[in-house]
Amino acid sequence: PRYETYLYLKHSLHGTSPVTTFGPKACMLQNPHAVMHIQDPASQRLTWNKPPKSVLVIKKIQDASLLQPFKELCVFLTEKNMIVYVERKVLADPVIQADESFAAVIQKFCTFREDLDDISNRVDFIICLGGDGTLLYASSLFQKSVPPVMSFHLGSLGFLTPFNFDTYQSQVTQIIEGNAAIILRSRLRVVKESREKNARVDKKGIIMTKGDSEGSRKAMQYQVLNEVVVDRGPFSYLSNVDLFLDGHLITTVQGDGVIVSTPTGSTAYAVAAGASMIHPNVPAIMITPICPHSLSFRPIVVPAGVELKIMLSRDSRNTAWVSFDGRKRQEICHGDNITITTSCFPVPSICFQDPVNDWFESLAQCLHWNVRKKQNYLSSKEDVF
């Protein structure tokens, strides 16, 4: 509610912007429903419409090593007269409850419960303490506009957490003052439609109902930062799901499953399944099969503006299962469908340096990308052959 992202367009991420007129009379039809505009990632800066007053602190649950950093950060924020929001289950930790010196700080907190309390219009920015999972969890709390997120590396991998906690005071102060680069991490808008138990499916996969067709379907919506995973679940048979792109059947996935990921998610499960790594500023959706029973089924990248739909194949021997950023795992039955598009609500992730340097630093430090012992220098006296 209090922030904006200033985008100073110096040049397109893809180089010179192409012309949209062709010859004397032809031109490209302008689409008012464009998903996003391509900006120079180095030009994305955070600024505040009004000074920030509230902050949500997310701590990894059941991690004793984070208790001291959590307390230090909360004391620092309250001393700056910030309104601190903390999830109620975090304060239920017996160690926190037993700390009498921290009791006065706890009384100043505003608490909330996941899936029960709406804090979307109360929080100015978010601070995550933990690993990459804390950022994914923060994303799940906001189904529409997401406040800027500052992530401290206090977990195991830390690909999405660029800040070290050693200098948290100066780093947080810079954010409050509005001096920070920002990267917009696109999310997927996922709608899962399920048929009710009183409906049946005919041989062609069409849902048959006894009453109002609208009342026979149940729809759930999710905002996904990393990936949607459809797999075969506990069954021994191959997963057999149909994949549609803008209403056209493009292929049937036969294997352990399929991963539909954002560019941010391309360095998670997708890269373990053989996909390429995509910079978060690239507007795209990646489709990666999981152990496909085909030597030619390779991962593909499609434009961010397409609509994907996943359905259980009519002749599938068993059902499938789906999860959203590793959570909300549920079964996919015949007649169910999953629609995936690029969300218009990205996650504004605060950078340590800038979007490009932070990403390559994470590749090098976390995934050891292209780490190799260097070839020895060949002196002029040595024989080339």
Side-chain angles (χ1 to χ4, degrees):
R2 295 175 181 269
Y3 75 94
E4 289 181 351
T5 304
Y6 276 179
L7 300 175
Y8 302 102
L9 183 56
K10 297 178 181 177
H11 54 271
S12 168
L13 190 64
H14 300 294
T16 304
S17 298
V19 297
T20 56
T21 57
F22 314 103
K25 295 183 178 179
C27 65
M28 184 180 295
L29 180 65
Q30 297 298 315
N31 180 10
H33 303 293
V35 175
M36 62 179 66
H37 299 283
I38 308 303
Q39 311 286 359
D40 173 23
S43 67
Q44 298 175 2
R45 305 288 302 182
L46 172 70
T47 188
W48 300 102
N49 293 326
K50 300 177 182 178
K53 298 294 184 183
S54 59
V55 56
L56 167 62
V57 178
I58 297 178
K59 183 186 81 69
K60 186 178 179 181
I61 304 295
Q62 297 177 342
D63 190 337
S65 65
L66 296 181
L67 291 176
Q68 189 59 35
F70 171 73
K71 294 176 184 179
E72 290 182 18
L73 176 64
C74 290
V75 170
F76 173 75
L77 292 171
T78 53
E79 289 176 350
K80 281 190 166 290
N81 297 319
M82 299 291 293
I83 301 172
V84 179
Y85 282 83
V86 178
E87 195 168 6
R88 188 170 296 179
K89 63 184 179 182
V90 172
L91 300 181
D93 191 314
V95 179
I96 293 179
Q97 292 289 333
D99 190 344
E100 296 181 358
S101 63
F102 195 58
V105 179
I106 292 178
Q107 293 179 357
K108 299 178 182 179
F109 290 162
C110 293
T111 60
F112 71 98
R113 296 162 296 174
E114 181 188 9
D115 296 331
L116 294 176
D117 300 321
D118 183 13
I119 58 171
S120 56
N121 292 322
R122 305 178 193 174
V123 174
D124 293 332
F125 71 102
I126 305 169
I127 297 178
C128 293
L129 303 177
D132 295 343
T134 56
L135 178 59
L136 296 177
Y137 180 68
S139 169
S140 71
L141 295 175
F142 298 86
Q143 293 302 299
K144 291 187 178 180
S145 178
V146 185
V149 185
M150 182 182 194
S151 300
F152 285 98
H153 177 27
L154 292 168
S156 52
L157 185 62
F159 194 90
L160 305 177
T161 55
F163 289 94
N164 291 319
F165 194 75
D166 297 340
T167 57
Y168 77 92
Q169 293 184 348
S170 61
Q171 300 286 1
V172 172
T173 300
Q174 284 189 6
I175 303 308
I176 294 175
E177 294 173 352
N179 182 20
I182 203 167
I183 182 169
L184 300 181
R185 298 186 180 274
S186 65
R187 294 195 291 179
L188 299 175
R189 178 181 179 268
V190 186
V191 178
K192 180 180 181 289
E193 287 188 312
S194 307
R195 64 183 180 90
E196 299 293 350
K197 293 182 179 179
N198 61 350
R200 62 186 180 84
V201 182
D202 70 1
K203 294 181 180 180
K204 296 182 179 180
I206 300 175
I207 298 175
M208 308 295 290
T209 62
K210 294 182 179 179
D212 182 14
S213 60
E214 293 296 326
S216 68
R217 301 195 69 82
K218 177 183 177 183
M220 297 294 292
Q221 181 174 310
Y222 306 92
Q223 295 284 336
V224 175
L225 179 57
N226 260 2
E227 73 273 301
V228 179
V229 177
V230 176
D231 59 69
R232 59 189 175 93
F235 304 105
S236 58
Y237 293 114
L238 291 175
S239 165
N240 199 337
V241 296
D242 294 333
L243 182 61
F244 297 82
L245 192 151
D246 286 341
H248 302 284
L249 177 65
I250 57 172
T251 192
T252 297
V253 180
Q254 297 183 94
D256 280 355
V258 63
I259 306 166
V260 180
S261 60
T262 64
T264 295
S266 69
T267 51
Y269 192 177
V271 76
S276 296
M277 297 179 290
I278 306 175
H279 189 276
N281 270 111
V282 179
I285 298 175
M286 172 161 277
I287 303 170
T288 308
I290 306 172
C291 297
H293 199 249
S294 168
L295 295 177
S296 59
F297 195 173
R298 309 309 303 159
I300 60 172
V301 178
V302 296
V306 304
E307 178 186 87
L308 298 173
K309 183 172 286 188
I310 299 175
M311 299 179 64
L312 201 62
S313 296
R314 187 177 61 215
D315 53 356
S316 177
R317 295 184 178 184
N318 46 258
T319 61
W321 288 75
V322 62
S323 61
F324 312 95
D325 280 342
R327 309 178 75 221
K328 311 286 186 182
R329 186 168 170 80
Q330 51 198 276
E331 191 173 15
I332 306 173
C333 301
H334 284 94
D336 298 350
N337 66 74
I338 298 170
T339 303
I340 304 171
T341 54
T342 298
S343 171
C344 60
F345 299 108
V347 174
S349 183
I350 298 172
C351 302
F352 177 69
Q353 297 181 68
D354 59 69
V356 173
N357 281 304
D358 278 16
W359 192 67
F360 279 102
E361 183 70 16
S362 292
L363 289 182
Q365 296 298 323
C366 301
L367 299 182
H368 303 292
W369 178 62
N370 197 27
V371 173
R372 179 193 183 276
K373 184 178 179 181
K374 287 194 174 183
Q375 190 178 50
N376 291 332
Y377 173 73
L378 188 64
S379 65
S380 58
K381 296 181 179 179
E382 292 179 336
D383 190 354
V384 176
F385 304 101

